[in-house]
Amino acid sequence: MEREIIELFMRHLKLQGDLPLGDDAGAIKWESGWLVVTNDMLVRTTDVPDIMTPEQVGFKIFTMNVSDVAAMGATPIGFLFSIGVPRDFEMEYLEGISRGIAKASEFYRTPIISADTNEACDLIIDGIALGKTKRLLTRSGAKIGDLVCVTGDVGRALAGLKVYFESLEVGERTRKALYEKLLEPKARVKEGQVLSKYANATIDISDGMSKELHLIAKMSGVKILIDSEKLPIRKEVFEVAELLGLDPIEIALASGEEFELIFTIAKKHLDKLDFDFAAIGRVEKGEGVYLRRYEKIEKMPILGWEHLSKLNKK
């Protein structure tokens, strides 16, 4: 239903910025570059597991928005937020959120330039991040022959969520590694700044790697082939998958709110990237997204999170 709502509004919103709606963020041409603007909302009922502290909630709303700016190849320059609070909500919890936002502001070196508050039926925080860049990255820039790459590792956020909701017995090291990504994800700001010089298409993993790959393929008008053996999946994800009898590849492809960056780039530029990443596939002529597993190629299913979907179950 989320997609239907977006399509409904898109039919009416004809006056848009210099970059048409549909990317991680919007953009307006500004002097010799681009002003990038994004907004992302956090709702306690759907976005905040009980094990997340209010400080982590505050940090997360900042990360969610700054990650979109990073995906456009931009440097964050400002953050704004509005917070809706139920009547008689705990002031101590709100103070924790404020500490988390302040901590994130310092971590990302991004000032807070405006805020607002109102009464709401649930705790709702809507963030806005501003950024600037000389060269804009989009989801539609993938070129045939590009390598498909991803920063960091994938799967820990969803694996951590399953450990929590399934009350799985895992070792403390495993739990810590999974909860680190689930509760305290970080946006890849520095990586985005480097990619702005060399990448052709970029997207951050907010709803799940599979969904993001399908978006790049569709918006770029290309085919993407991913090698399952090259996906950067940590041993803790395999451990959880084995305990639950699940496919670790599917966990990695479905895991949302990773805030890693997927990007396509010409092979000749790989040696210019000064951060950790994995080359997981390539861009080809055609359409759709495919996965190579055990020497067989299959169509990659669209996995991941979608708001208002009946399939969303924690």
Side-chain angles (χ1 to χ4, degrees):
M1 188 172 179
E2 179 183 9
R3 279 174 290 180
E4 286 84 350
I5 293 174
I6 293 172
E7 290 170 1
L8 183 153
F9 276 85
M10 290 286 278
R11 289 199 298 269
H12 296 276
L13 304 178
K14 303 302 182 184
L15 185 59
Q16 302 178 15
D18 293 315
L19 176 71
L21 294 172
D23 262 279
D24 283 276
I28 299 172
K29 290 178 181 176
W30 192 264
E31 297 178 347
S32 59
W34 294 84
L35 175 66
V36 174
V37 186
T38 188
N39 68 296
D40 211 341
M41 182 186 299
L42 181 150
V43 180
R44 186 179 187 183
T45 303
T46 57
D47 298 321
V48 181
D50 292 339
I51 50 174
M52 181 174 280
T53 68
E55 288 83 358
Q56 290 168 336
V57 172
F59 200 102
K60 180 181 178 182
I61 187 62
F62 217 110
T63 293
M64 291 163 60
N65 284 276
V66 169
S67 181
D68 284 337
V69 169
M72 306 297 288
T75 300
I77 59 173
F79 181 76
L80 308 82
F81 69 96
S82 295
I83 181 167
V85 184
R87 188 171 298 183
D88 300 324
F89 196 76
E90 311 96 316
M91 291 298 292
E92 184 178 352
Y93 197 100
L94 291 176
E95 185 172 358
I97 291 175
S98 68
R99 287 196 299 266
I101 291 176
K103 182 179 178 181
S105 176
E106 294 176 5
F107 180 83
Y108 293 116
R109 298 183 179 181
T110 304
I112 300 185
I113 56 179
S114 183
D116 186 33
T117 185
N118 209 328
E119 184 177 342
C121 59
D122 194 1
L123 175 67
I124 301 171
I125 314 175
D126 190 27
I128 297 175
L130 309 176
K132 61 180 181 179
T133 184
K134 294 289 185 182
R135 178 173 179 259
L136 193 67
L137 293 174
T138 68
R139 301 171 175 180
S140 58
K143 301 182 184 302
I144 295 171
D146 278 359
L147 294 179
V148 181
C149 306
V150 64
T151 62
D153 62 276
V154 289
R156 278 192 291 152
L158 180 55
L161 200 62
K162 289 187 175 297
V163 165
Y164 171 61
F165 282 108
E166 301 287 343
S167 300
L168 287 185
E169 294 291 335
V170 296
E172 186 57 34
R173 286 187 179 182
T174 296
R175 187 182 303 274
K176 183 178 179 180
L178 298 177
Y179 281 7
E180 174 189 42
K181 197 64 172 287
L182 172 65
L183 304 176
E184 300 178 346
K186 303 295 190 300
R188 297 291 190 169
V189 174
K190 292 181 180 179
E191 291 86 342
Q193 293 168 350
V194 174
L195 290 173
S196 70
K197 301 174 183 177
Y198 306 111
N200 291 322
T202 312
I203 191 171
D204 80 326
I205 303 179
S206 53
D207 294 329
M209 174 177 271
S210 170
K211 286 189 70 174
E212 319 302 7
L213 287 168
H214 277 275
L215 280 171
I216 290 179
K218 181 178 180 180
M219 295 183 69
S220 296
V222 296
K223 171 185 173 182
I224 290 178
L225 176 63
I226 299 298
D227 189 334
S228 64
E229 295 182 0
K230 294 182 179 179
L231 291 172
I233 307 172
R234 285 179 43 157
K235 63 180 181 180
E236 293 89 356
V237 177
F238 283 93
E239 182 180 340
V240 171
E242 185 175 356
L243 287 171
L244 292 174
L246 299 175
D247 182 354
I249 302 299
E250 288 199 2
I251 291 178
L253 293 175
S255 185
E257 297 189 337
E258 294 275 343
F259 302 117
E260 301 293 350
L261 297 180
I262 299 173
F263 58 96
T264 77
I265 188 170
K267 186 177 181 180
K268 65 180 180 180
H269 292 316
L270 287 186
D271 61 354
K272 299 166 186 171
L273 305 183
D274 59 353
F275 54 83
D276 292 333
F277 68 93
I280 59 174
R282 65 177 185 268
V283 178
E284 301 179 345
K285 184 177 180 180
E287 60 182 25
V289 182
Y290 293 81
L291 184 69
R292 177 185 284 115
R293 301 189 67 174
Y294 314 117
E295 301 305 320
K296 293 183 179 180
I297 296 177
E298 58 193 49
K299 201 160 189 179
M300 183 185 290
I302 299 178
L303 306 170
W305 176 266
E306 180 169 344
H307 287 285
L308 303 173
S309 171
K310 294 179 181 179
L311 299 178
N312 289 334
K313 294 181 180 179
K314 289 186 177 179

